[in-house]
Amino acid sequence: MANTETALKEALTSIEGATGVALVDYTSGMALGTLGGSKTFDLNVAAAGNTDVIRAKMRTMEHLGLNAEIEDILITLSDQYHLIRLLKGRGGNGLFLYLVLDGRANLAMARHQLKRIEEDLEV
């Protein structure tokens, strides 16, 4: 089992193209931990904003009567990918991992590695 700091370090160092990662509580919009980012890319602001993305998708699914669970959400920008993965395991309710990738990232591998990191994360 990995703690938050270990999981964030693993995501940033083991996932090719990762430039930032955060563990976020989408009920409050607060980042519980961040690593990476830059002066021009504030992970705390991005984390808070992405809680709105999750809430909107959950409302839409409810209105449509969908009973499925969100695994992850991918946002594709011209030079970045943003991957949001909702935590399913012990104590993960209401939390998500937020990963920022540059354009050279392999999305399939990033999703696979982030899922593995999520499974090992002890919150």
Side-chain angles (χ1 to χ4, degrees):
M1 293 293 148
N3 64 21
T4 300
E5 182 180 345
T6 303
L8 295 179
K9 283 180 183 175
E10 183 177 353
L12 196 60
T13 59
S14 72
I15 299 175
E16 184 178 348
T19 61
V21 62
L23 177 65
V24 186
D25 178 345
Y26 66 79
T27 57
S28 69
M30 294 196 56
L32 305 177
T34 63
L35 198 59
S38 68
K39 290 180 183 178
T40 59
F41 192 91
D42 187 333
L43 279 168
N44 288 300
V45 172
N50 280 301
T51 62
D52 293 334
V53 172
I54 293 172
R55 290 177 191 152
K57 186 59 185 173
M58 288 180 161
R59 277 192 310 273
T60 302
M61 289 174 59
E62 184 178 331
H63 292 317
L64 292 171
L66 300 176
N67 293 322
E69 291 182 352
I70 298 170
E71 286 187 22
D72 52 38
I73 297 170
L74 172 64
I75 300 168
T76 305
L77 304 178
S78 60
D79 62 347
Q80 291 180 336
Y81 301 114
H82 295 217
L83 187 57
I84 300 167
R85 180 159 186 91
L86 278 69
L87 271 60
K88 306 278 188 276
R90 304 164 300 280
N93 193 25
L95 301 178
F96 68 91
L97 284 166
Y98 171 60
L99 182 65
V100 181
L101 301 155
D102 64 24
R104 65 184 168 91
N106 179 323
L107 288 175
M109 285 303 297
R111 286 185 71 220
H112 176 73
Q113 289 174 281
L114 198 59
K115 180 180 180 183
R116 184 185 46 77
I117 290 168
E118 174 218 343
E119 290 169 350
D120 290 341
L121 179 61
E122 182 70 40
V123 188

